[in-house]
Amino acid sequence: MTSPFDTWEKDAGGHLKVWPMLGFTTALFGRDAVGLRIEIGTAQPKPGEQVPALQLVLQPQQVRQLADALAEAEARLADARFAAATPGGNA
């Protein structure tokens, strides 16, 4: 059985390479695109320290697709938490 994580980048030990999100900002590029800056790291940076970030430019349809995907993920997470909190839940 395949997992959505099968194609994700992994370290030498086979563990997923993921980073906690520290924050994000958005900006408009005129009327044609959105900038999305996702700050990542394992700890809050010290004052004046550069924050590692992924900076993306998204077309309007990509903004909607990302918004829909995040809303779906949030709903699935809420369902899983509800099932785990319910007697007999299997999540």
Side-chain angles (χ1 to χ4, degrees), residues 2-87:
T2 61
S3 162
F5 300 114
D6 289 345
T7 60
W8 288 31
E9 186 178 358
K10 297 172 187 73
D11 64 17
H15 300 100
L16 291 175
K17 288 185 176 182
V18 294
W19 294 96
M21 184 176 77
L22 299 175
F24 67 92
T25 54
T26 60
L28 293 179
F29 288 115
R31 296 183 301 184
D32 300 322
V34 170
L36 173 61
R37 184 175 195 273
I38 302 172
E39 298 175 349
I40 58 174
T42 56
Q44 288 290 339
K46 296 177 179 125
E49 189 175 66
Q50 181 69 19
V51 179
L54 175 63
Q55 298 179 159
L56 303 171
V57 63
L58 305 169
Q59 299 304 314
Q61 68 276 13
Q62 292 172 311
V63 174
R64 174 54 45 209
Q65 289 169 338
L66 181 58
D68 290 346
L70 290 172
E72 178 185 338
E74 188 278 332
R76 290 172 46 205
L77 182 60
D79 288 346
R81 287 183 173 172
F82 177 77
T86 303

